[in-house]
Amino acid sequence: MRVTRNYGNGMVNYKKNEKGSYSSLLQSALSRSNAGRRGGRLASLLGNTKDTNSVGNRNFITSSQKSQKFYYDMQYHAKQVGEYADALKSKKEDSIYDKARESGSTDQIVSDVKSFVNQYNNMLKDLEESGTRSDKVFLTQLSSMSNMAERDLELTGVIRKADGTLVVDEKKLAAADVDTLEKVWGGNGFPSKAAAKAGSVAATAEQNIEAEKSSTYSPFDRANLYSSGRRSSGSYFNYRR
């Protein structure tokens, strides 16, 4: 390629720019190139470019967000199991069963049983999806508990499926008398034991949440903006339900 004399001189000769300083065309081009690379690297760190490295960063952050949300959901479902089991717990005075006897309606009991079953199934799905060793142990223990209580649960229209999840026969549940409901759901049987185990599930989920927090990389951390790609902990992307 032939370079004209004027253009060649312009590349190396200095001229006054808009800011009043002197620079050559070559220096200006190099400066713009360096600025572009710096801007591109910053955009990559912030996840605002389609560069391969930025995709990796976005995937890392998205994965961490997803993991934290997953464990928050698991913790929530486990705590809900405990709360509904506690609501169904037979107390010495003014229990949910005493109120049902007074009003002649078991609607509140039926509602709490259905909610317990729903959250219990959600917790089982979380444990199954997690697949960690400790969560598999919880899943096995809960399955064993429901298996032992299968006949009692059926008295109130709650059927245990082969995978350990529960299904409600609403007509049978609504037809169950208060004494039967109290015997199955208000004592120290399956609901109480499942709630105790759910407490352990919630505690383990909390530990996993904290572990995810400590390993979450935040590109907004000042140190990360000028590092050579090393990951450090950050909290900007910590997700809370």
Side-chain angles (χ1 to χ4, degrees):
M1 176 179 177
R2 183 179 178 184
V3 180
T4 63
R5 177 177 299 178
N6 289 338
Y7 181 77
N9 290 338
M11 289 292 290
V12 296
N13 292 337
Y14 290 84
K15 67 176 184 177
K16 192 172 185 178
N17 58 28
E18 296 177 353
K19 296 182 179 180
S21 60
Y22 289 84
S23 64
S24 67
L25 291 177
L26 180 59
Q27 284 183 319
S28 297
L30 290 175
S31 177
R32 288 194 298 272
S33 177
N34 289 335
R37 282 196 296 271
R38 289 194 298 271
R41 182 171 182 272
L42 179 59
S44 177
L45 287 170
L46 297 176
N48 292 328
T49 179
K50 294 183 179 180
D51 179 74
T52 302
N53 291 331
S54 70
V55 172
N57 287 335
R58 286 202 306 274
N59 287 343
F60 177 82
I61 294 169
T62 301
S63 175
S64 183
Q65 284 179 301
K66 182 178 179 180
S67 296
Q68 288 184 52
K69 183 182 184 303
F70 174 78
Y71 286 118
Y72 275 118
D73 286 345
M74 179 187 286
Q75 184 185 52
Y76 173 78
H77 295 146
K79 286 184 176 181
Q80 286 289 289
V81 169
E83 288 183 14
Y84 282 113
D86 186 61
L88 288 163
K89 187 76 173 177
S90 179
K91 301 172 183 177
K92 292 183 179 180
E93 296 180 2
D94 200 29
S95 72
I96 190 174
Y97 306 99
D98 290 336
K99 291 178 180 178
R101 291 186 181 96
E102 290 176 5
S103 67
S105 172
T106 60
D107 288 352
Q108 186 59 57
I109 301 173
V110 168
S111 177
D112 287 348
V113 168
K114 289 167 66 176
S115 295
F116 173 93
V117 169
N118 181 52
Q119 297 299 339
Y120 178 81
N121 287 339
N122 285 335
M123 181 176 68
L124 292 190
K125 290 176 183 178
D126 291 337
L127 293 172
E128 180 70 31
E129 185 178 343
S130 171
T132 63
R133 182 177 298 179
S134 60
D135 288 342
K136 285 181 178 179
V137 171
F138 289 143
L139 200 59
T140 299
Q141 293 171 337
L142 288 164
S143 180
S144 177
M145 290 177 187
S146 63
N147 184 50
M148 293 178 64
E150 187 171 3
R151 290 185 179 180
D152 287 340
L153 293 172
E154 287 181 358
L155 294 175
T156 62
V158 177
I159 314 301
R160 182 185 183 275
K161 295 175 66 176
D163 62 359
T165 58
L166 305 176
V167 178
V168 176
D169 181 335
E170 295 193 19
K171 289 184 178 180
K172 191 172 182 178
L173 175 59
D177 61 82
V178 178
D179 290 340
T180 301
L181 290 168
E182 184 174 19
K183 178 183 177 182
V184 175
W185 295 95
N188 294 316
F190 169 72
S192 180
K193 293 176 181 177
K197 190 58 61 178
S200 298
V201 172
T204 300
E206 177 66 26
Q207 292 175 358
N208 288 325
I209 290 169
E210 294 303 319
E212 288 293 334
K213 283 182 181 179
S214 65
S215 64
T216 301
Y217 170 74
S218 172
F220 291 103
D221 190 300
R222 181 182 295 275
N224 291 329
L225 289 175
Y226 302 100
S227 68
S228 57
R230 293 176 296 177
R231 293 172 179 169
S232 62
S233 62
S235 61
Y236 282 91
F237 284 94
N238 292 344
Y239 177 90
R240 186 168 292 274
R241 181 184 178 87

